[in-house]
Amino acid sequence: MRRRWLYRTHVIIGMIAGGWIAWMAITGIGLALGPMILAWAETPPVVTTHSGLPFQTWHPSGGSRLTIFSSPSSAVLLGKGSDQPGAWLNPYTGQLIRTESNWPRWIHRLETWHRWMGLEGTPRQVVRWVKAMACVGLIGLVITGIWQVRQRRGRPLPSIPWHSRLGIWASPMLVMMALTGLVLSTESIKKPVKHSQDIPSTFPIPSVMNQLKQQYPNWDRVVIKWGDSVTTLVYCGPWTRYQLEWDDTGKWIKTTPRTNWPKLLHTGQLLGMFGSMVALMGGVATLILVVSGTQLVIQRWRNRV
């Protein structure tokens, strides 16, 4: 009787949340491949270093975002918005090296489909709460699935359906993804920042970069975004980043630490390429479990009829 109740609960949760879980798995697989694709497609070009400071003899223009890397022989990336490819430039001369690939925009678009079904405005609020319930449903599937296997204690492992065995082996990844996905789905949505179309000529990039290097000697990259104020994101390893705000003249306004650990755990980026592979395996395992579970239920219903 208890086993039948567990099975019915497992099936009902799967019927309600299975579609959403499958959608998150499919798009999550693509996002897990994102860091590997970008590492291949978006390696910063190497430039010949010059004496003096970068941006000293020229000033970047025609963009709203500038990404600077810690290596002095690395090119800089001048972004031109979310719909247009940026440009890799020599930081000492301003010479165009090559145009940015379209992969970052495609992956960003896939992320919007993974998180909000590609919707904007108020529908996002509905989608994120539905996704939160789907994450709770995934945790419920893991619990009821493992509980059913425990009811079969004493049976040899080969006699347990491979669907159940895969669920047991993948359960740590599934629970981690569900818990972090629940946190990400329920966090408040930040209003999009309106970026200016061009970089103000009054902002002293060399001076600001010198200040950042002194304050954050272990910095990895700096992203400068122009909007109502100039926002500077300083990345110091996978865990830590800082957000600094300036006015157009380079006067510091405030600093805010930014540590988005749920996203780092959810995507596996905390462990680099290895973490991305783990996230990829988790997405594939989730999709296989949804498909195989649906097949088992249909097969059981057919046998009854």
Side-chain angles (χ1 to χ4, degrees):
M1 185 67 180
R2 181 184 299 177
R3 187 181 302 173
R4 185 180 300 175
W5 175 83
L6 282 173
Y7 170 76
R8 289 177 177 175
T9 303
H10 191 77
V11 170
I12 290 173
I13 295 175
M15 292 177 62
I16 295 174
W20 281 96
I21 294 173
W23 172 254
M24 290 187 289
I26 294 172
T27 53
I29 290 171
L31 291 176
L33 292 171
M36 291 175 271
I37 294 174
L38 292 181
W40 163 74
E42 287 299 300
T43 303
V46 177
V47 300
T48 303
T49 57
H50 296 254
S51 59
L53 292 173
F55 318 107
Q56 193 69 47
T57 58
W58 70 282
H59 197 282
S61 60
S64 60
R65 181 185 72 258
L66 184 68
T67 303
I68 304 170
F69 300 87
S70 57
S71 174
S73 61
S74 174
V76 297
L77 179 62
L78 183 63
K80 300 182 180 181
S82 58
D83 298 330
Q84 301 180 29
W88 289 101
L89 305 176
N90 187 314
Y92 301 92
T93 64
Q95 181 181 3
L96 174 66
I97 299 175
R98 71 167 187 254
T99 304
E100 183 189 21
S101 72
N102 285 317
W103 280 109
R105 270 158 302 288
W106 292 338
I107 292 175
H108 175 71
R109 198 170 303 165
L110 180 62
E111 183 178 357
T112 62
W113 280 94
H114 179 76
R115 300 187 68 180
W116 304 298
M117 295 290 291
L119 299 173
E120 300 287 344
T122 303
R124 280 191 176 188
Q125 300 285 349
V126 178
V127 170
R128 73 190 187 101
W129 283 109
V130 172
K131 283 191 58 182
M133 294 300 101
C135 290
V136 175
L138 179 56
I139 297 174
L141 288 173
V142 172
I143 294 174
T144 55
I146 293 177
W147 200 350
Q148 287 185 81
V149 175
R150 283 182 59 85
Q151 297 300 314
R152 302 176 181 180
R153 285 179 295 183
R155 294 180 58 181
L157 186 61
S159 66
I160 298 176
W162 67 269
H163 172 85
S164 301
R165 279 179 279 165
L166 177 60
I168 292 174
W169 293 334
S171 59
M173 291 185 293
L174 300 183
V175 171
M176 177 63 70
M177 290 189 298
L179 290 175
T180 52
L182 180 62
V183 173
L184 293 172
S185 298
T186 55
E187 67 179 1
S188 59
I189 298 178
K190 299 176 183 178
K191 294 182 179 180
V193 179
K194 294 183 179 180
H195 298 297
S196 61
Q197 296 299 318
D198 202 357
I199 296 174
S201 58
T202 56
F203 189 72
I205 296 178
S207 174
V208 167
M209 286 303 301
N210 282 334
Q211 296 179 53
L212 295 179
K213 290 176 183 178
Q214 293 177 5
Q215 189 171 357
Y216 307 103
N218 60 335
W219 70 285
D220 179 60
R221 60 190 169 100
V222 172
V223 181
I224 307 175
K225 299 179 180 180
W226 279 265
D228 298 333
S229 60
V230 183
T231 302
T232 305
L233 292 173
V234 184
Y235 292 83
C236 302
W239 278 99
T240 309
R241 60 177 177 160
Y242 300 91
Q243 177 177 309
L244 293 83
E245 293 188 19
W246 319 72
D247 62 14
D248 289 346
T249 63
K251 182 180 179 181
W252 173 81
I253 300 175
K254 68 177 181 178
T255 300
T256 307
R258 298 288 186 190
T259 306
N260 194 4
W261 62 266
K263 184 176 181 180
L264 294 174
L265 289 175
H266 187 73
T267 59
Q269 295 178 12
L270 177 64
L271 300 177
M273 289 299 175
F274 175 76
S276 297
M277 289 300 298
V278 173
L280 176 62
M281 290 187 295
V284 172
T286 303
L287 185 59
I288 293 175
L289 286 169
V290 172
V291 174
S292 60
T294 303
Q295 183 181 2
L296 289 173
V297 171
I298 294 175
Q299 182 179 354
R300 187 163 180 171
W301 285 350
R302 284 180 176 176
N303 292 337
R304 287 186 175 183
V305 174

